[in-house]
Amino acid sequence: MMLYSIDTPPRYVSGPLHIGHATSYSQIDFVARYKRMRGFDVFFPLCVDVNGLPIEVEVEKRYGVNPKEVGRKKFNELCREFAEQNIQRVRDQYNRLSISMDDSIYYRTDSPEYRKITQLTFIDLFERDLVYRDKRPVNWCPRCATSLADAEVEYRLRKSGFNHIIFKMDDSEVIVATTRPELIPACKLLAYHPGDDRYEGLEGKTAVTPIGDRVKIVEDEAVDPDFGSGMVMICTIGDKEDLRWVHKYKLEIDRAIDEEGKMTPLCGKYEGMAVEKARRAIVEDLEEECLIVKKEKIDQNVAVCWRCHTPIEYLVTDQWFLKTMAFKDEVDGIADEMRFYPDFMRTRLKDWTSSLEWDWPISRMRYYATPIPIWYCEDCSSVVVAKREQCYVDPTLDPPPVDKCPRCGGPLKGSDEVFDTWMDSSITPLVNRENGSNYPMSLRPQSHDIIRTWLYYTALRCYLSTGQKPFDSVMISGFILAPDGRPMHASWGNAIDPIEIVEKYGSDCLRYFAANCALGMDTPFRWNDVKRGAKFQRKLRNVVKFVTIAQDKSQNGDRDLRPADRWILTALSKVMEKATSYMDEMDFQHAIREVEDFVWHIFADDYIEMAKYRIYRGDGEDRRETESAVYTLARIGKDVVKMLHPFLPSITEELYYQLDPEGSIISWPEPELRDEKSYDGGEKARSLISGLRALKSSMALPLSSELSSVTIYAGGELADFYDEIKETLHIRDLHFTDAPPPEGAERVGEFSVLLNDR
């Protein structure tokens, strides 16, 4: 049996289940159930993510603690306690959604076994010189007190104060417009665009900042002359553009803001103030000195921490880095090797990879995560890495592999740094390989918002460990929005609890909605889809009820399929082929629609009506035809239930048992026959029957009323369906003729029809 492996996204246990989780995990489950039915041994692990900032932030909120005050040991105990309380809740939610993860393959990202693999991969990178420690500018979250990778930085639009400030010169002045006046103490240069005639001739001259520092004025193509005053101040460091200028002009970095987001001694009277407070204070002082000529509000995309949404700063700190810039081409090549569903999502990974400008800072100044297995010499700062056999190891608690520094003999102190949570999350294929998965894995399912993090880092890390791609295919889900198209937020009152949907309608109705969400696309939540799912299930129950009634009439005798049976079985084969193709392409939306339309509009509306006369007629009549109808009804009933099973597992298991108590729903159905002649005839017959039923309705005749005589012109090709037409429409005398239709005949589809008793 071939293995099909799914790299299950380990869900954070720190937050509530939202409708996006319910939808995306349902879509993953569609794949798992379908592949099992296709004969694969499906590797679908149950896993949870309990590492890093998401857990820490929730623990700080719930217990009202500051990790610096309670200490590392106590804080980590609270994190573990929080995780234990929430893991079972997550497992229960998966069960309520009918997600068929294999709990015999279980992992959690904070287990010693998992963290051991993270540490071992780091040691391998260390020995291959692919990680290094350096003092350089990084994204820094003052609230979380840690560095952040570019992928952990989000951008939020906000109104910012835009202050036009006077910088004096020897014989004139220039106006500098800035949203960061608190960084004036760290101003290193002023710059304008070389094509800006307002500042012609100022290159090489100097200006005096409002606090008395003299700075040089330069021309620079990167300055936008149409923004603000066209004269910018280059500080250390206000944003990424500043950082580029720092490197370009080799500027010395003065630190105006510290790790806690407070002003440093460089800022004089503003020392110790939080950034926002210092900004207000310096603006007030500048106004008093008449150095602000204009104040306005502008829309600004502000870089914020992905977890707590605090505006980030750019600080120079000692960090561990993983070399990523050297492997951009390799990750780009891996993107081309993997198949994406939908295909256009490949571009997102490639675009992100090409946009990267710096190596990945992998160290964090946090607590509940995998410790970096490093000790530092207290005398010479040399680094000692753990031995492989030591892992899993915590350098804050465990002894180093050697008694003293190999370089100078000094004492060693364990590092209190931990890994970025993506260092853990990006090795899931390697962890799964240890648990019995194949490699590369068959499928990585995930949402589009973490392509730049989980997918990129996994592609990079697994390539560095194995030299191969991590997956054959990647399935990308979209977000679920509020019904009005806005994002869901509890504070806006538009969040939808999936468990409430399950309690009211059942999990299959929620999964029906998920099946109708296109991969990779953000979809407004649609209550109508949930209700339609409930309506479709009622229809399915009624169909199966009729089939079981028919089965009760069977004597298990010989059968002789009529053309109508061969027509519907051919139609079923066509639906199977389409549904199978759609499922192979993970096009759930079209797969379920194909089966649903067949059940509703062909099987129930047409064939069952055609077959009823054979089911309800007396025992003395042709048993072979009755047995054929029973066989056909049962075959179709079981096969459509099977095709719906990946989407609607609860009701389909129940209904399949009613149809075949001794059978199994675990295999995907295969086409039985193809009879194109019967199919063409059946399509014409059902079109004619449908048209004549509509005609009876237009004449205000009950559908069950008898028609004494009907003549169908040019209807000889329907001769094989004579009984179905006659019995379904309750016609006493039915005639087919090739004669031209008389005046007064009704046009029904491609046939002319005369109701002789009209």
Side-chain angles (χ1 to χ4, degrees):
M1 184 180 291
M2 291 182 61
L3 186 67
Y4 188 89
S5 54
I6 299 173
D7 189 19
T8 311
R11 192 186 129 204
Y12 278 124
V13 300
S14 54
L17 178 78
H18 56 66
I19 192 70
H21 291 138
T23 301
S24 59
Y25 280 100
S26 293
Q27 291 174 335
I28 300 168
D29 194 60
F30 300 160
V31 178
R33 291 180 183 271
Y34 171 68
K35 291 298 182 180
R36 289 192 196 103
M37 296 179 77
R38 296 289 283 170
F40 288 90
D41 180 12
V42 175
F43 181 94
F44 188 19
L46 173 64
C47 49
V48 289
D49 195 345
V50 283
N51 262 340
L53 273 174
I55 297 292
E56 294 185 18
V57 170
E58 290 301 316
V59 167
E60 291 174 25
K61 290 179 184 177
R62 172 172 292 192
Y63 298 105
V65 296
N66 184 320
K68 292 183 179 179
E69 295 174 358
V70 301
R72 177 179 296 272
K73 181 179 179 181
K74 176 63 176 176
F75 186 70
N76 282 343
E77 288 174 356
L78 291 174
C79 289
R80 277 188 290 272
E81 178 183 319
F82 174 84
E84 294 297 339
Q85 292 171 356
N86 285 275
I87 286 174
Q88 188 56 50
R89 175 177 59 86
V90 170
R91 297 179 72 154
D92 290 343
Q93 289 168 344
Y94 285 146
N95 288 334
R96 298 195 69 178
L97 293 169
S98 302
I99 308 298
S100 60
M101 293 178 193
D102 186 350
D103 60 6
S104 71
I105 313 170
Y106 171 71
Y107 70 81
R108 48 189 286 181
T109 56
D110 67 339
S111 69
E113 295 80 11
Y114 193 104
R115 289 180 171 179
K116 173 182 178 179
I117 297 175
T118 301
Q119 290 184 335
L120 289 174
T121 59
F122 172 81
I123 293 172
D124 177 64
L125 295 169
F126 181 89
E127 291 175 347
R128 294 163 59 196
D129 197 29
L130 295 177
V131 291
Y132 62 95
R133 187 171 174 80
D134 194 12
K135 193 180 189 73
R136 59 171 58 185
V138 294
N139 306 302
W140 186 271
C141 175
R143 178 340 194 143
C144 297
T146 190
S147 59
L148 300 173
D150 283 351
E152 296 172 295
V153 176
E154 297 178 352
Y155 290 86
R156 298 213 163 179
L157 190 66
R158 73 172 187 184
K159 291 287 185 183
S160 297
F162 200 35
N163 302 281
H164 296 246
I165 302 169
I166 296 173
F167 279 55
K168 296 186 180 297
M169 300 181 64
D170 292 338
D171 53 359
S172 61
E173 60 188 33
V174 292
I175 307 299
V176 175
T178 180
T179 59
R180 301 292 307 265
E182 73 278 10
L183 290 178
I184 288 175
C187 178
K188 292 294 184 178
L189 293 174
L190 298 185
Y192 65 93
H193 191 276
D196 194 336
D197 295 338
R198 293 172 295 177
Y199 305 115
E200 186 178 359
L202 293 188
E203 184 179 23
K205 295 187 177 181
T206 60
V208 179
T209 72
I211 63 170
D213 295 327
R214 187 169 287 276
V215 294
K216 187 178 178 181
I217 302 174
V218 298
E219 291 183 347
D220 197 289
E221 294 278 354
V223 177
D224 180 359
D226 298 321
F227 182 68
S229 65
M231 180 73 73
V232 301
M233 65 175 190
I234 299 173
C235 304
T236 57
I237 305 167
D239 56 23
K240 278 197 170 182
E241 197 59 55
D242 277 345
L243 192 51
R244 294 186 186 97
W245 279 321
V246 165
H247 291 309
K248 178 177 180 178
Y249 295 107
K250 297 180 173 55
L251 301 176
E252 181 181 349
I253 296 177
D254 287 336
R255 212 171 174 211
I257 300 170
D258 65 17
E259 289 86 352
E260 295 181 355
K262 295 181 178 180
M263 311 311 291
T264 67
L266 177 71
C267 302
K269 62 184 286 189
Y270 309 108
E271 179 185 356
M273 289 185 183
V275 168
E276 294 284 348
K277 184 178 180 180
R279 186 176 301 151
R280 291 191 298 270
I282 197 168
V283 167
E284 290 174 3
D285 290 345
L286 291 173
E287 285 184 305
E288 287 183 7
E289 297 173 25
C290 298
L291 292 176
I292 293 184
V293 298
K294 181 181 177 182
K295 292 173 62 178
E296 57 183 319
K297 291 288 187 181
I298 63 169
D299 291 326
Q300 184 181 30
N301 269 321
V302 178
V304 299
C305 171
W306 72 290
R307 177 49 54 178
C308 69
H309 305 127
T310 300
I312 68 161
E313 301 295 344
Y314 296 89
L315 303 185
V316 177
T317 62
D318 283 313
Q319 300 290 333
W320 283 96
F321 294 87
L322 171 57
K323 294 179 180 179
T324 57
M325 298 301 292
F327 298 99
K328 291 173 68 170
D329 289 344
E330 286 78 359
V331 175
D332 192 69
I334 286 172
D336 289 328
E337 290 181 39
M338 299 184 295
R339 184 163 186 184
F340 279 73
Y341 301 94
D343 187 68
F344 66 82
M345 282 295 171
R346 180 195 326 274
T347 303
R348 291 228 188 154
L349 175 58
K350 294 171 74 71
D351 286 350
W352 173 254
T353 303
S354 66
S355 74
L356 293 172
E357 299 178 289
W358 296 287
D359 287 337
W360 175 16
I362 59 174
S363 51
R364 299 291 181 266
M365 314 303 117
R366 294 301 300 183
Y367 305 89
Y368 198 64
T370 302
I372 298 181
I374 288 290
W375 289 260
Y376 298 108
C377 176
E378 295 188 58
D379 292 341
C380 71
S381 301
S382 291
V383 171
V384 174
V385 68
K387 299 289 187 183
R388 283 181 167 79
E389 55 269 22
Q390 284 183 278
C391 300
Y392 164 69
V393 63
D394 184 348
T396 67
L397 302 174
D398 300 321
V402 293
D403 294 333
K404 57 187 178 182
C405 174
R407 181 178 177 185
C408 73
L412 298 173
K413 181 180 180 181
S415 169
D416 59 1
E417 302 156 296
V418 297
F419 286 118
D420 173 7
T421 189
W422 297 111
M423 275 289 284
D424 287 304
S425 301
S426 58
I427 62 164
T428 49
L430 305 179
V431 172
N432 285 323
R433 183 175 61 178
E434 294 294 315
N435 291 332
S437 170
N438 53 351
Y439 187 94
M441 297 189 73
S442 306
L443 179 68
R444 155 61 70 82
Q446 63 166 78
S447 60
H448 60 61
D449 62 314
I450 51 175
I451 288 175
R452 64 180 190 168
T453 49
W454 195 31
L455 182 55
Y456 166 74
Y457 289 137
T458 304
L460 171 70
R461 295 263 278 125
C462 289
Y463 171 78
L464 293 178
S465 290
T466 69
Q468 294 179 274
K469 64 182 179 182
F471 326 104
D472 294 325
S473 301
V474 181
M475 183 180 82
I476 304 294
S477 59
F479 285 167
I480 304 302
L481 309 174
D484 62 4
R486 294 188 302 163
M488 289 191 191
H489 290 292
S491 60
W492 292 355
N494 64 355
I496 294 172
D497 184 353
I499 297 302
E500 291 181 4
I501 299 174
V502 171
E503 289 173 348
K504 184 174 181 179
Y505 293 98
S507 62
D508 282 352
C509 290
L510 180 56
R511 291 169 66 100
Y512 178 90
F513 164 76
N516 281 282
C517 294
L519 289 180
M521 305 299 291
D522 293 346
T523 305
F525 181 75
R526 300 180 293 260
W527 280 108
N528 283 343
D529 277 4
V530 176
K531 294 174 182 177
R532 180 175 173 83
K535 185 178 180 181
F536 178 51
Q537 289 182 64
R538 288 194 294 271
K539 184 69 173 181
L540 202 58
R541 284 187 186 279
N542 290 335
V543 166
V544 170
K545 182 178 180 180
F546 177 79
V547 174
T548 56
I549 290 172
Q551 288 176 309
D552 289 342
K553 294 182 178 294
S554 173
Q555 298 176 5
N556 297 316
D558 293 338
R559 60 179 182 264
D560 184 12
L561 295 179
R562 285 184 55 79
D565 304 325
R566 301 180 71 82
W567 155 66
I568 192 65
L569 289 171
T570 300
L572 175 67
S573 295
K574 292 176 181 287
V575 168
M576 275 184 204
E577 290 169 358
K578 287 183 180 179
T580 302
S581 177
Y582 286 136
M583 291 299 287
D584 287 341
E585 293 298 313
M586 300 183 194
D587 187 350
F588 313 123
Q589 189 177 20
H590 287 94
I592 193 170
R593 188 176 300 164
E594 190 73 29
V595 181
E596 180 183 2
D597 287 349
F598 174 79
V599 170
W600 204 294
H601 302 300
I602 302 177
F603 186 42
D605 287 355
D606 297 323
Y607 179 76
I608 286 179
E609 294 301 317
M610 291 184 193
K612 279 181 178 178
Y613 81 94
R614 285 190 277 165
I615 300 300
Y616 290 126
R617 67 187 173 185
D619 290 339
E621 301 184 54
D622 191 343
R623 288 298 313 168
R624 293 170 67 90
E625 289 195 353
T626 298
E627 294 295 343
S628 296
V630 172
Y631 167 80
T632 304
L633 287 165
R635 171 66 194 259
I636 295 172
K638 288 188 283 189
D639 284 355
V640 296
V641 164
K642 283 185 173 184
M643 285 189 286
L644 290 168
H645 180 65
F647 308 111
L648 314 175
S650 298
I651 189 173
T652 52
E653 287 181 6
E654 174 191 341
L655 296 180
Y656 197 88
Y657 180 78
Q658 294 174 20
L659 291 165
D660 187 2
E662 304 299 323
S664 171
I665 200 172
I666 62 172
S667 61
W668 187 255
E670 296 290 339
E672 179 176 6
L673 65 82
R674 295 292 290 263
D675 182 340
E676 294 300 334
K677 179 182 177 183
S678 294
Y679 179 78
D680 291 341
E683 288 298 297
K684 291 175 181 178
R686 82 181 187 96
S687 174
L688 177 69
I689 291 171
S690 177
L692 283 173
R693 286 163 70 98
L695 184 59
K696 288 177 77 173
S697 295
S698 71
M699 297 166 59
L701 294 174
L703 294 179
S704 60
S705 63
E706 184 179 77
L707 298 174
S708 59
S709 178
V710 174
T711 301
I712 302 175
Y713 294 86
E717 57 192 303
L718 297 177
D720 288 343
F721 295 86
Y722 178 90
D723 288 345
E724 280 75 19
I725 297 170
K726 181 175 183 294
E727 299 295 338
T728 303
L729 293 167
H730 306 286
I731 301 171
R732 188 188 310 158
D733 294 314
L734 174 64
H735 306 280
F736 293 146
T737 178
D738 291 328
E743 187 176 341
E746 300 282 352
R747 191 70 183 173
V748 179
E750 61 184 279
F751 301 101
S752 294
V753 177
L754 182 65
L755 276 62
N756 299 316
D757 58 350
R758 184 169 179 178

